[in-house]
Amino acid sequence: MRSNTFIFILSITLTALYTSCSSDDDTSALTGEGQVSIAFDNGVAGDDLILHTSAYTNTNGERLTIDRLTYIVSNFTLTDDEGNTYVYPKDDSYFIISEESDKTEITLNGIPAGNYTRIKFGVGVDQEKYLQGAEGQGDFLAEAETEEMMWSWQAGYKFLNFEGTFTSGSVTEATEFKIHMGSHGSSLDNYREVTLDLGTNAIVSETMSPLIHLAVDADKILNGTNKIVLSEQAVIMISEEKSPMISENATEMFSVDHVHNGSGSHH
């Protein structure tokens, strides 16, 4: 009898524990709003990006010293595990990521509670935003000018500003390279979008604010699907041929490294 009583009590205890654990994992109970932070961990072919000092060799046999890596990300949307998509407010959805200025993390506020599985964002500035004119750009226009991400208002934004010096088998003295990519009015639209599955779900609620770490591989700019050889052309700014190739490469820079779930800040 005592044995049966013990088993009965043990059964009740295990059931209670299971129910408790299940409720902790039950994201349907998530309520309110939270924030999602995104860290852009800039690197080069698996190494950390260190400006001005370290040299990186690409598959073209060119040895690069990188002095600047700055790019615009925009138009964020998040998709949850039920297929619902939250579109971040457009006027607040433009950010400059700059290794030089140590701007490598952004925060999206007011995200509805949910269990998010996917993120989508743009690289650059879309035509709808550009066609709002200078008045429609708000504070972002001034920030872009400060970060050297403008040619001029009429010419538009630089979506990517990648600069430094290089040597190669045929270029033996350190030579400056400049890769500036963007759209030019409505005639050459190089805005592109990236969609990434998070792998680990980002859990958002009034008490949960995840941090998504994106690995960013600057090697892809020259060495993505399209091969850009600096020895052939070291300065590329407005190019109907190569700018679209670079814009496609730029979308390949991004991958999800890991997701931190929890309250407060995580690094």
Side-chain angles (χ1 to χ4, degrees):
M1 188 71 168
R2 182 178 299 172
S3 175
N4 289 339
T5 303
F6 173 77
I7 291 171
F8 177 71
I9 293 172
L10 179 62
S11 175
I12 291 174
T13 303
L14 290 174
T15 301
L17 284 171
Y18 176 78
T19 303
S20 174
C21 290
S22 297
S23 65
D24 287 344
D25 295 336
D26 183 7
T27 55
S28 65
L30 298 173
T31 58
E33 296 179 343
Q35 62 184 33
V36 174
S37 296
I38 306 167
F40 293 82
D41 300 330
N42 295 316
V44 185
D47 294 325
D48 288 339
L49 172 59
I50 302 173
L51 298 179
H52 312 302
T53 53
S54 293
Y56 307 91
T57 301
N58 64 24
T59 56
N60 297 324
E62 297 168 334
R63 192 163 175 80
L64 281 63
T65 299
I66 299 167
D67 295 327
R68 174 172 291 157
L69 176 64
T70 309
Y71 47 92
I72 294 173
V73 290
S74 59
N75 295 318
F76 285 81
T77 65
L78 293 162
T79 303
D80 69 16
D81 58 349
E82 296 180 351
N84 302 309
T85 296
Y86 175 71
V87 180
Y88 198 66
K90 189 171 182 62
D91 287 346
D92 300 323
S93 201
Y94 297 84
F95 304 89
I96 293 175
I97 305 301
S98 171
E99 187 70 20
E100 191 176 16
S101 301
D102 199 28
K103 294 181 177 180
T104 58
E105 186 175 318
I106 67 172
T107 298
L108 308 178
N109 295 303
I111 306 298
N115 196 14
Y116 291 95
T117 63
R118 182 177 298 169
I119 188 170
K120 183 172 79 169
F121 58 92
V123 180
V125 176
D126 56 286
Q127 287 290 307
E128 181 183 344
K129 181 70 169 176
Y130 173 79
L131 292 173
Q132 289 178 359
E135 291 300 317
Q137 308 306 307
D139 295 338
F140 184 72
L141 181 60
E143 183 184 359
E145 289 174 336
T146 300
E147 294 292 344
E148 298 187 44
M149 295 300 281
M150 300 287 296
W151 278 287
S152 67
W153 167 242
Q154 295 301 327
Y157 294 98
K158 299 173 187 175
F159 299 171
L160 170 71
N161 188 336
F162 183 51
E163 299 180 354
T165 58
F166 79 101
T167 59
S168 69
S170 59
V171 180
T172 55
E173 292 190 10
T175 300
E176 185 178 72
F177 72 84
K178 290 186 177 182
I179 307 294
H180 296 174
M181 182 275 294
S183 295
H184 309 287
S186 56
S187 61
L188 187 60
D189 184 3
N190 287 313
Y191 173 78
R192 299 289 186 272
E193 290 186 329
V194 178
T195 301
L196 300 172
D197 290 326
L198 296 180
T200 300
N201 293 346
I203 303 170
V204 179
S205 72
E206 57 194 2
T207 59
M208 299 282 283
S209 296
L211 172 61
I212 301 168
H213 276 271
L214 299 185
V216 185
D217 183 4
D219 183 61
K220 295 293 187 183
I221 296 168
L222 305 176
N223 193 31
T225 297
N226 303 299
K227 307 303 178 186
I228 307 296
V229 181
L230 294 175
S231 304
E232 296 175 357
Q233 185 177 354
V235 178
I236 303 172
M237 294 190 180
I238 301 175
S239 170
E240 290 190 8
E241 176 194 3
K242 291 188 176 180
S243 291
M245 295 169 67
I246 293 165
S247 69
E248 293 297 339
N249 283 356
T251 65
E252 298 172 15
M253 291 197 298
F254 305 94
S255 62
V256 177
D257 189 73
H258 61 282
V259 176
H260 283 298
N261 281 305
S263 57
S265 298
H266 306 272
H267 297 281

